[in-house]
Every structure is written in C-alpha cells, then in structure tokens.
Amino acid sequence: MAYNDDKINMVHGAGGEVMQQMISEIVLSNVSKTSVNGGIGLESLDDSATIPFDDEHVVVTTIDAHTIQPLFFPGGDIGRISAAGTLNDISVMGVKPLSLSNAMVISEGFPREDLDQIMKSMDETCQEVGAAIITGDTKVIDSDKLDSMIITTAGIGIGRKDEIVRDSGLEVGDKIIITGSVGDHGMAIMSKREGFGYETELKSDVAPVWPMVEAAKKVGKITAMKDPTRGGIANALNEMANKANVGMRLYEEFIPVKPEVEAVSDMLGIDPFEVANEGKVVMGVTADTAEDVLDAIQKTKYGKDAQIIGEVTEGKRVIMETLIGGERLIEPPIADPVPRVC
Amino acid sequence: MAYNDDKINMVHGAGGEVMQQMISEIVLSNVSKTSVNGGIGLESLDDSATIPFDDEHVVVTTIDAHTIQPLFFPGGDIGRISAAGTLNDISVMGVKPLSLSNAMVISEGFPREDLDQIMKSMDETCQEVGAAIITGDTKVIDSDKLDSMIITTAGIGIGRKDEIVRDSGLEVGDKIIITGSVGDHGMAIMSKREGFGYETELKSDVAPVWPMVEAAKKVGKITAMKDPTRGGIANALNEMANKANVGMRLYEEFIPVKPEVEAVSDMLGIDPFEVANEGKVVMGVTADTAEDVLDAIQKTKYGKDAQIIGEVTEGKRVIMETLIGGERLIEPPIADPVPRVC
C-alpha cells in the first residue's frame, strides 16, 4: 500500500495493521513511561490500561475519541456509541465500569436539540450498567474548523487483580465464543450513508456488553476477551491469536451473520468480518465451561444469538472452515473498509 | 447578551458564565447518575471528580479537550498544554497525577513531523511530574471535517481522602496566593495570532503545577485551590468565592503581571485577569501558614514570582484595591476574550 509517509493518512486511523505501525512508531517511541505500578500500559495495546493499587485492587481505565458520520443512525447515535464504546473497553477487561468522563468539542451552530438527544442517549446507555457520568469538558469551535462534533470519553472501573482478563490469555483447546451477530454496526452505518438505510431492517448493535460479561464470568473461566470494534472480528481474533502465539479454527456455519447484513455486504462488496461491531464480545473460554458460558450469555438481553464459533489451536493462523467445506485464512484488514464508523 | 438559543454558540464554550449555564441546562439535566460512591461528581463542576475507593483512598480523575490555534506557540505547543492541563486539574485537587490517557483526532495530511514533536512535548511534560501515558486512541479524519487536530486527555491520581482539596473550602481570614504572573498564556497566544509574537519576549506559562502544590502542602494548610485557565483569575477567584459563599479583598500592587503582558494587554484592550493561565495555581491558605507556603512555592522551578495577593472576607464580592487607591469589582467574564486558547 503506497502512501506519503510524511503525512498522516486515513489508513493510519482505520484500526488495521498500518495504524498499529503508526502508533508504535510515533506514539510509543516518544513516551518514556508507559505504565504505573507495573500495570498494563500503553505498549500492551490492550482494550484498557490498569493501575494496580494495593495487593488486591486495580483501577482499569480507557479513552476513546468518537467521530461518526452520520451522528444519528439506525439503532443509535454518537451519544450511545461514545458511552458504550468506553464502557465496553472496561467490561472486556473483566471489570464492571463505574464511571464515564465526557469531553465534547462542538461546532458552532450545532443544534441544541441534537445535543440534548445525544446527552439523553449517553445517559440511557450508562444507566443500563449503572455507570455515572462524573466529569466533563465542553468546547465550542468555529464551524469551519470542525464539522459537527467529536466526543471523547474515558472510563474507570475498579476490580480485584484476579478478575482482570487480558486479550492475550488464549490457550490451545479453549473455545471461542461470539456474543451475537457480526458486522451489524459497520453495515448499518454504510447502508445509511449509501441511502438505503430505510429500506432494510438493518440496525447498529451498539450496546453495553457488561451484562453479558458479568453473566459469563459467573459460570465460566474466560481466558481472553476483546470487543471487535474497528477492523471487526477479523482484526480482534487475529490480535488475540497473535498475542497468545496460537492459532484458531473457526466454523463459518456457526458465525452469526444477519441476512440483511449479508445482503448489504454483497451489494457493497464489504466483508462483514472486517467491519465494526459495537455491542459484541469475542472471548476465549475453557472447553469445560464453554457450554455453561454460552447458556448464560444467551439469557441476557443482547446475547440471544451468541455462538461457540471455533477453538484455539496450535500454530499462528486463524483459519475458517467455510460452508462449502473449504478453508479460508482470516487476516487482519489493512484498513477498515468503513471510515468514521465509531 | 443576545444569541440564538437553538444553536450552540461560541460564547457557550468560552469558560465564562454563559457556558456554565449551558452545562447545567443540557448536560446536567440529562445525566441520571453524576457521582460514584458519594464522590465529587459532575454537578460540582470542580477541577476533577473523585471515586472514593475504601475508607482511606480515592481515585481522582478529569478529562479535557484541547483545540488550540496555533498548535505551536511561544513557550509550548498543543502537546504540552494537553498534558499540563489535565495533570494540573488532578494536582489542584491536592493529589499527585499518576497517569495520562491520550486520545487524538488528526486531520488527514497532518505532518508526521509535527505529530512527533507534539508527542515529545507531551512526554517531557509528563516526565516533569513522573506521570505515565498509559492508554490512548488515534483517529484520522478527512481534512474537510477537521482543521489540524484535537487532543483529549484524561488523567488519574490516587490519594488519601484527607488530602483532597476542593475549590469550595475558603474561609474568612484565609490568604489568597497566586503562584506567579497572570495572563501569560492567553496573551502569548493572542500576540502570536496577531503577528507580533516574535517582537516580544512574551511566552506561554504552560507547565505542570504539581511541584508547587506538593511544596505548599508540605508546609501549610490549603483550604481551596484552582488552576485559573479559561476565564483567567477573574473566573477562578469568583468561582472559589461563590462556592464558599465568601468575598475577597485583593491588592493590585501584589498581583504579578509581566510588563510584556501589560503591553500586549493595552494594545489589544484585553484584561489579563480574564485570559487563560496554564501553569498557575490560585489557592486559599490559612493565615498562619501563608508565609511558609509562599516561601516553599517560591523555591520551586515555576514558583519564583508567587505572591500573597489578598485575603478572604465576609460578603460575596471579589474586590481589588487598585494601584491608585481606588476599588474595582472583579467579575467573572461573560466569555473568554481569547477563543481556542486551550
């Protein structure tokens, strides 16, 4: 892929491999201290960072900048996604999210009514997991400097050290569970942008995942966890496999994809495995607890379509057995096919 | 002040009274849960929020969105201000800042070299207080949607409950200390924008204030503290007085203003008391410890020009005795005269 290396390129921010490279090159090379008290820090590129506090406890924290077009889309809006995105990054560390911090940069002339609706959505999303919005910042800038708005949220959870689930803990033999259908968010945004959003039932899946994680923790042993946002499950599964130095064997027949997602995906030529989900978790679970975990997740509000989609293997590749009996290598996307999606 | 109430206006975001109104109206009215475990929450509009953790400890956290023009200015850049701004909000709660989270939204085509310089500045600023950059997010968006970049930082500190200093704790008889000269940042930005930045020695004061706060804590009793950013000391002093339901008597002769700030201020007709400082603290200190605190602050790197500028009185007004023996009422600015300053 050719691009000018002196300028920041869209490919840099898309969630694929090229962005990881830029992060390590520019950000990591300049940061002297990347963790506190031996906790999980910047170089781990995990969903959240941790600050170990005493012998037992740890503060889990994350930050996400949200720039999404359109601001209101089928199934959600920038307020819901700004809350869910950050609450979910805490949740997939195995810890209940307690608080959200909310920084908004708003273009002058932004409709007050829209801001009101966006705040309502953030609040409703927080209420689903009992999280509070405890601090914030609002800046207004000229409309020729910024189009619409950017919302950045940071979140905090406090947990016991032994509760923390990394994205790197997979072991050979673990089962891989996905908590529901794949590609809904990215495809909903794309179909809305392309103008056929009203003709389909396609909706974003944006939702807080904590209730599913909580249910799973109670009955099983989760070895690794991630929310497959930018870059989709293709990115998340490869990252988990790489970090644990293992492979995966997945079965296409068990990976839930909604018919309307399939349809839009075919029309646009975009792989639903490579686009963002905003209310899903992929987790590795010990084989002996996998069925119990699946049952528990399926009983939650957003987990009805959860499936065991494969298992962890030796090797380094994520391979999917296709419906017609072939094999397909699942690779991390170089760039997210849908920009400005979260 | 007349503006269209249906649209978000620049005045909303400037740090003055109108913004406070918007925050309470739109944000606060929509948030159901504004604090965790009885800690300091959104409705306090303090510099940071707190999450009480056990009987003894508390997590202090804040978030700030930074949009500044120009990105590089005499005395600093957006990287230094993004780090210092958030580290300082934790510091003025009386707690050492431990970590920074860094979310950047970057315009496509942004020079890689500038990003590198900005990251270096952030890091150097963190190093001054020993804070780590532990987590981050980077998004790149089309250059017609965003001009240059927005950096949002969130910070965390962990302290003992009895260390926390609110901005509302002033008591009659306390001395008011300012840790150095007033208006440097706002005036440096303005003079750079107006094109006479190179003719003066005027530099932003952007710096981490923790070393001054730490020195002050060791020898004195601080009753209230705030960093006078947007809206300047006029805003900060009034906020502290209002929250404690007290007044202040200040003495113009003791308020440090650099000659070059005075000069630019006269040229532009802007009050240096009403523009942002980015490396200063205003604090209330018990009268019996005020001289010791002043000495301790003056021995730190950024505190040489610290002064006792007045005292807390009965009443509700912030009054300044002028150089010529008159009295002037210091009121919070309706809007910051210098937009996009931090």
Side-chain angles (χ1 to χ4, degrees), chain B residues 136-209:
Chain B
D137 184 28
T138 310
K139 295 233 161 68
V140 182
I141 68 177
D142 314 80
S143 53
D144 63 336
K145 307 284 186 197
L146 173 70
D147 170 59
S148 73
M149 80 188 311
I150 291 174
I151 300 185
T152 303
T153 48
I156 291 179
I158 300 177
R160 291 195 324 277
K161 273 184 188 166
D162 60 9
E163 287 182 293
I164 301 294
V165 179
R166 303 292 304 264
D167 58 5
S168 57
L170 291 180
E171 288 187 29
V172 174
D174 289 346
K175 298 294 182 187
I176 304 292
I177 290 178
I178 177 104
T179 62
S181 58
V182 162
D184 301 16
H185 179 71
M187 289 305 179
I189 296 290
M190 273 314 284
S191 70
K192 171 88 179 172
R193 282 193 205 150
E194 297 291 322
F196 41 86
Y198 294 110
E199 293 159 37
T200 72
E201 289 299 301
L202 186 48
K203 277 190 184 152
S204 168
D205 61 342
V206 56
V209 301

Side-chain angles (χ1 to χ4, degrees), chain A residues 101-174:
Chain A
S101 305
N102 172 31
M104 298 188 285
V105 183
I106 304 172
S107 177
E108 183 167 26
F110 191 86
R112 196 185 167 106
E113 197 184 327
D114 287 357
L115 181 60
D116 194 64
Q117 181 53 48
I118 287 162
M119 284 307 308
K120 278 191 174 54
S121 284
M122 287 188 82
D123 185 56
E124 282 165 14
T125 311
C126 287
Q127 280 190 57
E128 290 189 50
V129 298
I133 299 176
I134 61 173
T135 183
D137 184 27
T138 310
K139 296 233 162 63
V140 181
I141 67 177
D142 314 78
S143 53
D144 62 336
K145 306 284 185 195
L146 173 70
D147 170 59
S148 73
M149 79 187 314
I150 291 175
I151 300 184
T152 303
T153 48
I156 291 180
I158 300 177
R160 291 195 325 275
K161 273 185 188 164
D162 60 9
E163 287 182 295
I164 301 293
V165 178
R166 303 292 306 264
D167 58 5
S168 57
L170 290 180
E171 289 187 30
V172 174
D174 289 347

Side-chain angles (χ1 to χ4, degrees), chain B:
Chain B
M1 173 157 291
Y3 59 92
N4 177 352
D5 242 2
D6 296 336
K7 305 269 186 194
I8 303 301
N9 188 286
M10 288 296 279
V11 176
H12 282 136
E17 286 195 333
V18 182
M19 184 188 72
Q20 305 292 354
Q21 254 175 39
M22 183 194 75
I23 288 176
S24 22
E25 278 175 43
I26 304 186
V27 179
L28 278 176
S29 70
N30 280 306
V31 178
S32 314
K33 188 174 175 186
T34 59
S35 64
V36 176
N37 299 347
I40 300 170
L42 192 64
E43 73 294 338
S44 307
L45 302 174
D46 208 327
D47 301 284
S48 297
T50 64
I51 305 179
F53 177 68
D54 54 26
D55 287 343
E56 269 184 69
H57 297 95
V58 69
V59 177
V60 180
T61 186
T62 190
I63 191 163
D64 281 297
H66 303 272
T67 157
I68 183 161
Q69 216 46 274
L71 294 182
F72 297 87
F73 50 83
D77 58 34
I78 191 173
R80 183 160 175 83
I81 211 168
S82 296
T86 287
L87 298 173
N88 289 351
D89 276 346
I90 306 285
S91 302
V92 295
M93 300 295 288
V95 169
K96 179 179 159 73
L98 292 177
S99 76
L100 206 67
S101 305
N102 171 32
M104 298 188 285
V105 182
I106 305 173
S107 176
E108 182 166 30
F110 191 86
R112 196 185 167 106
E113 198 185 326
D114 287 356
L115 182 60
D116 195 62
Q117 182 52 50
I118 287 163
M119 283 308 306
K120 277 191 176 53
S121 285
M122 284 188 83
D123 185 56
E124 282 164 15
T125 311
C126 287
Q127 280 189 59
E128 289 190 50
V129 298
I133 300 176
I134 60 172
T135 184
D137 184 28
T138 310
K139 295 233 161 68
V140 182
I141 68 177
D142 314 80
S143 53
D144 63 336
K145 307 284 186 197
L146 173 70
D147 170 59
S148 73
M149 80 188 311
I150 291 174
I151 300 185
T152 303
T153 48
I156 291 179
I158 300 177
R160 291 195 324 277
K161 273 184 188 166
D162 60 9
E163 287 182 293
I164 301 294
V165 179
R166 303 292 304 264
D167 58 5
S168 57
L170 291 180
E171 288 187 29
V172 174
D174 289 346
K175 298 294 182 187
I176 304 292
I177 290 178
I178 177 104
T179 62
S181 58
V182 162
D184 301 16
H185 179 71
M187 289 305 179
I189 296 290
M190 273 314 284
S191 70
K192 171 88 179 172
R193 282 193 205 150
E194 297 291 322
F196 41 86
Y198 294 110
E199 293 159 37
T200 72
E201 289 299 301
L202 186 48
K203 277 190 184 152
S204 168
D205 61 342
V206 56
V209 301
W210 173 248
M212 297 189 286
V213 172
E214 189 179 28
K217 279 178 65 178
K218 277 184 186 149
V219 297
K221 171 135 186 50
I222 305 169
T223 56
M225 207 163 19
K226 211 163 180 63
D227 59 332
T229 56
R230 286 187 287 176
I233 62 164
N235 197 57
L237 293 170
N238 272 284
E239 206 172 320
M240 290 165 85
N242 283 346
K243 284 186 174 179
N245 207 20
V246 295
M248 287 182 195
R249 175 159 291 264
L250 310 173
Y251 306 93
E252 186 172 16
E253 62 181 313
F254 299 127
I255 301 178
V257 181
K258 288 187 172 151
E260 56 269 34
V261 168
E262 199 83 61
V264 173
S265 155
D266 287 348
M267 273 191 278
L268 298 174
I270 292 176
D271 185 347
F273 293 1
E274 296 192 352
V275 303
N277 309 274
E278 291 292 337
K280 299 289 154 46
V281 181
V282 285
M283 52 177 86
V285 178
T286 57
D288 59 317
T289 66
E291 287 295 341
D292 290 344
V293 167
L294 186 66
D295 280 353
I297 293 172
Q298 285 177 342
K299 289 193 179 98
T300 63
K301 183 174 178 188
Y302 301 116
K304 285 186 283 291
D305 298 330
Q307 289 290 344
I308 297 173
I309 60 169
E311 62 260 338
V312 179
T313 60
E314 306 275 358
K316 287 168 177 271
R317 304 171 128 214
V318 177
I319 290 163
M320 180 174 77
E321 285 192 14
T322 64
L323 288 172
I324 52 168
E327 283 189 354
R328 180 185 147 198
L329 181 65
I330 307 288
E331 290 184 292
I334 296 297
D336 196 310
V338 190
R340 299 197 77 190
V341 77
C342 60

